[in-house]
Amino acid sequence: MSGKLYQGGSGQMPMYMTDSIPQSKYADLLAVIEELGKDIKPTYAGSRSASDRLKRGILHARALVRECLIETERSARS
């Protein structure tokens, strides 16, 4: 994780981006999903910090999915 934060409606969330190069929302979503996978096993082992990161990551992924759908609908119309 790069330490960058995403200012969402429910507070700050890690962006899970490794580059400072702007990416598409879809690429951002793929990066978030990849990072989510790293927190699943520690969450099952009882890690509270991994559980919290997983919850924030899921919220971030949900927001990105919404944005990707909007982007897809816009491009389909044009």
Side-chain angles (χ1 to χ4, degrees), residues 10-12 17-18 24-25 32 35 40 44 50-51 62 67 69 74-75:
S10 61
Q12 296 181 344
M17 288 179 55
T18 56
S24 71
K25 294 199 186 321
V32 169
E35 288 296 318
I40 291 178
Y44 274 112
S51 174
R62 288 179 65 193
E67 292 172 16
L69 287 172
R74 272 193 210 137
S75 67

Side-chain angles (χ1 to χ4, degrees), residues 25 63-77:
K25 294 199 186 321
L64 285 172
V65 166
R66 276 188 236 113
E67 292 172 16
C68 286
L69 287 172
I70 291 168
E71 196 173 287
T72 302
E73 289 173 359
R74 272 193 210 137
S75 67
R77 290 180 189 152

